[in-house]
Structure formats: C-alpha cells, structure tokens
C-alpha cells in the first residue's frame, strides 16, 4: 500500500482571498517500499507523485547521502543511474542498470516541499546460484550412460538458454553422436534444471564440461571415464592406505611390546 502525504503549506497557498476559495488537491506520494532486482539486470525504483505542481523531485542514495538525480538531471558519474518522468502515470523512476551487489540498500524519493516530503524504497539484490550436483569430479565407466545436471536457483529471471561446452568447444547434438540436451526446466519455486546426457561414454568424452546459462556465472565439472576394472583415484588411494597400515600392524605390535618390557626393566 502506498503512503499518502499532504503538503499543508501548498494546499493553503491555493486558497484565495484570506482563505476563501477552493483548496488545491493535496500532494500525494505513493510507491512500493520493497523492490528486488537480479544481479546484472536493471532495477526500477518508482515514485508516484500526484499533484506535484512546480516542486522538484530528487533521488538520494541513503548509504552515502549522495544525490543521484534532481528531476531529469543526473548528479553522479556512474552512467548506470538514470531518472525519468512518465506524465501519464505521474511517476518518477530511478533506473539502475547492470545491478551490482553494492547497489542494495535504501533509496529516498524526495519532494522539495517545506518541510521536505520523502518516500523510501529498499532495493534487494538477488544473486542466482549455478551448480552441478555431485561436485566438480564425475567418474563413470566406459560404455555406460552419464547425465550431467546444471541447477539454477534463486533466479528472479531464469536464463533464456543454457549452453554446454566440452573443453572450449560448444556441445551440439548434431555433431555429437549419442548426446541429448534437456533445456532449462523449472522443478520448484526457486530452482530450474538443465541436463546433458551422453550414452555409450568412451575416452573421447572425458574432460572438462561447462554449464553456461545466459547472463549468469558458468560452472564446470571434470568427467573421468574409467576402463573396465579401473577404480577412481580416490578409491585407489584409500585402499592403498588401508593395505599399507594392515601390512605394518605386526611391526607396531612388536614395538609396543618392546617398549613395555623396557619400562618394566627400568622399574625393577
């Protein structure tokens, strides 16, 4: 719900003949108080003002009290900021292009009445997250089928497309045999999933795969193709360590016995 503020001085100024006559309509400020914008997109902060008359409208960034604009004139070197007026809707809008995380915070729409009239709009910057479930290392046996999923979450505006890359080459179904791409599909209120499926995996499919959603930060994972009977390196290291400990267990046991016997001798 918008906030309605009345400038009594401006209202009385419209009265003629010592208070006789018809009063001007009260000045009204209405606009939302909370705005969300996605990182890298444009943010639009509206301030609807009815019966403005000849008053000036300013936008001020609260964190540093920087005056961003007065009417249509901009007073900041950052070209991402711009203000304009829509006469039909009586709205003064502050636009912030290519929104950054540091743009989050409170902004003040101020009218040059006396005293000043203000309306505050809080901007929240939403940062989408792009992940490949299962981590950055994927192990699959030669000849099997693998599906690499790419999850986009917390996005106000899901990307229009997702490109997949193998090393530096874009993956194309027309040039890759046994490859199928599933476009980004919404699976919950905050998450969408795209996937790349490869059938009959062999060594030529091994390497780095990158999920690159439009206008979002890409994420990568490395596909390791194992030959029949081969184990992932992590499993090999774990087995080797366990075997090594077991092989030395008799040595540890004898050493403990020798230490006990020496201690008993010293105590006699």
């Amino acid at each position: 719900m918008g906030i309605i503020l009345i400038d009594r001085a401006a209202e009385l100024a419209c009265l003629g003949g010592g208070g006789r006559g018809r009063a001007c309509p009260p000045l009204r400020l209405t606009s939302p108080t909370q705005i969300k914008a996605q990182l890298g997109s444009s943010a639009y902060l509206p301030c609807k003002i009815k019966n403005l008359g000849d008053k000036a409208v300013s936008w001020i960034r609260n964190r540093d009290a920087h005056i961003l604009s007065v009417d249509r004139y901009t007073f900041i070197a950052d070209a991402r900021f711009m203000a304009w007026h829509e006469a039909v809707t009586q709205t003064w809008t502050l636009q912030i292009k290519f929104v950054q995380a540091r743009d989050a915070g409170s902004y003040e729409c101020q009218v040059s009445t006396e005293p000043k009239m203000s309306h505050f709009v809080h901007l929240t910057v939403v940062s989408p997250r792009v992940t490949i479930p299962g981590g950055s290392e994927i192990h699959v046996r030669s000849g099997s089928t693998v599906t690499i999923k790419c999850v986009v979450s917390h996005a106000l505006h899901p990307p229009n497309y997702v490109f997949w890359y193998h090393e530096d080459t874009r993956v194309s179904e027309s040039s890759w045999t046994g490859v199928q791409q599933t476009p980004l599909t919404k699976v919950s209120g905050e998450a969408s999933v795209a996937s790349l499926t490869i059938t009959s995996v062999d060594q030529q499919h091994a390497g780095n795969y990158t999920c690159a959603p439009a206008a979002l930060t890409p994420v990568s994972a490395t596909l390791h193709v194992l030959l029949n009977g081969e184990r992932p390196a992590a499993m090999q290291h774990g087995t080797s360590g366990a075997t090594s400990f077991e092989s030395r267990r008799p040595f540890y046991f004898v050493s403990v016995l020798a230490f006990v016997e020496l201690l008993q001798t010293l105590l006699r």
Side-chain angles (χ1 to χ4, degrees):
M1 180 180 294
I3 295 177
I4 299 177
L5 302 175
I6 299 177
D7 181 1
R8 295 298 183 188
E11 182 177 350
L12 292 174
C14 290
L15 297 173
R20 297 184 302 274
R22 191 172 71 177
C24 294
L27 183 64
R28 299 171 184 261
L29 271 169
T30 60
S31 64
T33 58
Q34 299 287 335
I35 295 292
K36 289 184 179 181
Q38 185 166 299
L39 188 70
S41 67
S42 291
Y44 300 92
L45 281 60
C47 184
K48 191 171 185 177
I49 308 172
K50 294 184 178 181
N51 310 316
L52 177 64
D54 60 354
K55 306 300 180 184
V57 177
S58 304
W59 276 103
I60 302 169
R61 185 172 57 196
N62 277 17
R63 66 177 168 85
D64 56 2
H66 192 114
I67 298 176
L68 304 174
S69 66
V70 176
D71 291 338
R72 295 180 178 85
Y73 299 97
T74 304
F75 292 92
I76 185 170
D78 191 338
R80 299 180 304 120
F81 290 84
M82 180 176 66
W84 73 84
H85 178 233
E86 296 176 355
V88 175
T89 60
Q90 303 181 65
T91 301
W92 288 89
T93 301
L94 176 68
Q95 178 183 10
I96 309 174
K97 300 178 181 178
F98 311 111
V99 169
Q100 303 172 10
R102 62 187 177 91
D103 294 325
S106 183
Y107 293 81
E108 177 182 355
C109 171
Q110 187 183 95
V111 182
S112 63
T113 55
E114 195 57 50
K116 297 291 189 296
M117 297 170 56
S118 297
H119 185 74
F120 297 88
V121 182
H122 187 86
L123 174 63
T124 300
V125 178
V126 178
S127 300
R129 187 182 179 197
V130 183
T131 58
I132 293 180
S136 60
E137 304 289 332
I138 302 172
H139 296 85
V140 63
R141 298 200 178 279
S142 178
S144 62
T145 298
V146 62
T147 297
I148 306 174
K149 294 182 178 181
C150 181
V151 179
V152 178
S153 56
H154 308 293
L156 296 178
H157 313 291
N160 295 326
Y161 59 84
V162 172
F163 287 157
W164 288 94
Y165 292 87
H166 179 233
E167 303 300 347
D168 296 325
T169 304
R170 182 180 163 190
V171 176
S172 170
E173 293 182 2
S174 59
S175 59
W176 278 47
T177 303
V179 172
Q180 180 181 359
Q181 299 185 49
T182 302
L184 198 67
T185 304
K186 194 170 185 178
V187 295
S188 69
E190 292 188 346
S192 300
V193 178
S195 62
L196 176 70
T197 300
I198 308 172
T199 58
S200 300
V201 174
D202 58 31
Q203 288 298 324
Q204 70 172 338
H205 298 123
N208 183 77
Y209 284 84
T210 299
C211 167
L216 297 180
T217 303
V219 63
S220 299
T222 301
L223 178 65
H224 301 275
V225 179
L226 308 177
L227 300 177
N228 291 333
E230 185 180 3
R231 292 186 177 184
M235 293 175 60
Q236 291 176 358
H237 292 163
T239 302
S240 174
T243 303
S244 177
F245 175 79
E246 292 293 335
S247 65
R248 291 195 296 264
R249 178 181 286 181
F251 171 76
Y252 295 145
F253 184 70
V254 171
S255 298
V256 172
L257 286 179
F259 175 75
V260 171
E261 291 178 358
L262 177 59
L263 185 59
Q264 290 177 341
T265 302
L266 293 175
L267 294 176
R268 288 174 184 172

